[in-house]
Amino acid sequence: MMAQQPNPAPPHASPPPGMVACGVCGTESRQPNFKPAMPEQAPDLDLRPGQPLRGSMARWLQQCPHCGYSAPEIAQAHPAAAQAVGAAHFRALLNDQSIPPLARRFLAWALILEETGALHASAEATLQAAWVADDLAKADFSRAWRREAVALWRSGPPLDAEQTVRVVDSLRRAGMHEDAEHTARRLLDTSPPEAVAQVLTLELRLIEARDERRHSVATALPPPARRPHVSHQPSVKRGEGIRAWLRRLFGRD
Ligand SMILES: [Zn+2]
């Protein structure tokens, strides 16, 4: 992932303590020092984490106040990021006042990831923008960005069973019932792992009931099959990013 790329800035450019130098334009700014707290609640069916992590989205990404570059750590930038940040559609997104500012930040990160070819990571960031819209009760944005996330997931490499469940959930919550049902049944036909099959069974019930609300993984899985208790899970390493953390937590790749 691009956030792992080394910072192209020369070492003498180290900013003073508490300040971060943008990996794209070099501007120094004060950025949140995000120390994620372990979720104490089960995640949603689309793996949005439970509280307290759930409520900390305003601190998941940094954003350069000068060029608008957004990333988990803006000190690091993929070589293609500068080009992405300079593109007309990126500037248009930054200036689109109709989109809530926090959602714009996630969509900006999604655009940069898409530009670097990281389509699944871009889908993830787009889904996170939909979570911001959920919290603000902006249903039209929630649906539109879930559809975009699905399109990005499907334009990347083949998805594993757990990621396909997230596609099903995103389709359901975006009101794309037929596609959601078709995708769920096709995955069930492949005899997926038991936990995946249980979540798909719940998804099919929700789709049939035209239920577009969020539901917890805990609703789908009986207690023995639930995720191991949080105390057995690895804690979030500083700066590793929410996606890497989720990957470790749920064993996805
Ligand atoms: Zn910048």
Side-chain angles (χ1 to χ4, degrees):
M1 199 166 107
M2 60 163 294
Q4 306 303 322
Q5 296 294 320
N7 182 356
H12 67 258
S14 311
M19 302 290 278
V20 173
C22 174
V24 169
C25 74
T27 300
E28 291 180 3
S29 61
R30 195 165 294 280
Q31 295 292 335
N33 184 11
F34 181 42
K35 292 184 181 138
M38 285 304 298
E40 292 165 4
Q41 302 172 341
D44 295 352
L45 294 176
D46 64 3
L47 297 189
R48 179 172 181 183
Q51 295 289 19
L53 185 56
R54 175 186 200 89
S56 63
M57 290 189 71
R59 289 177 291 133
W60 289 6
L61 294 180
Q62 300 177 345
Q63 186 164 32
C64 174
H66 182 68
C67 71
Y69 172 52
S70 301
E73 288 183 86
I74 58 170
Q76 301 172 340
H78 187 283
Q83 198 180 349
V85 165
H89 62 290
F90 186 92
R91 309 314 305 172
L93 168 67
L94 285 188
N95 294 321
D96 188 340
Q97 304 293 326
S98 72
I99 299 175
L102 182 57
R104 254 182 274 166
R105 198 186 301 166
F106 282 96
L107 292 174
W109 175 226
L111 269 184
I112 290 160
L113 289 166
E114 186 179 1
E115 191 71 25
T116 63
L119 298 175
H120 289 176
S122 180
E124 188 84 29
T126 305
L127 178 64
Q128 289 167 356
W131 296 346
V132 173
D134 292 343
D135 290 346
L136 297 171
K138 302 269 188 192
D140 289 350
F141 283 141
S142 294
R143 288 199 188 92
W145 295 334
R146 280 188 167 85
R147 285 175 198 175
E148 272 181 44
V150 169
L152 285 160
W153 266 314
R154 286 177 166 169
S155 55
L159 295 164
D160 65 19
E162 287 217 11
Q163 287 285 27
T164 305
V165 169
R166 306 178 78 199
V167 168
V168 170
D169 193 68
S170 297
L171 288 167
R172 174 182 68 81
R173 295 191 61 185
M176 314 272 282
H177 305 118
E178 278 182 32
D179 194 346
E181 182 180 349
H182 179 71
T183 306
R185 293 202 185 282
R186 216 171 36 190
L187 180 55
L188 266 179
D189 286 345
T190 66
S191 304
E194 182 59 23
V196 168
Q198 285 171 325
V199 173
L200 287 173
T201 302
L202 171 62
E203 288 283 2
L204 285 169
R205 278 210 314 271
L206 296 172
I207 293 162
E208 193 181 9
R210 296 294 185 258
D211 183 337
E212 296 176 13
R213 295 170 299 171
R214 81 175 176 97
H215 290 272
S216 161
V217 165
T219 311
L221 305 182
R226 279 186 199 171
R227 309 291 181 190
H229 187 271
V230 290
S231 62
H232 302 143
Q233 297 293 347
S235 58
V236 185
K237 285 179 192 157
R238 192 158 163 262
E240 79 173 341
I242 190 68
R243 185 178 160 74
W245 173 78
L246 281 169
R247 198 160 47 225
R248 287 201 297 133
L249 184 61
F250 297 109
R252 297 188 286 106
D253 46 7

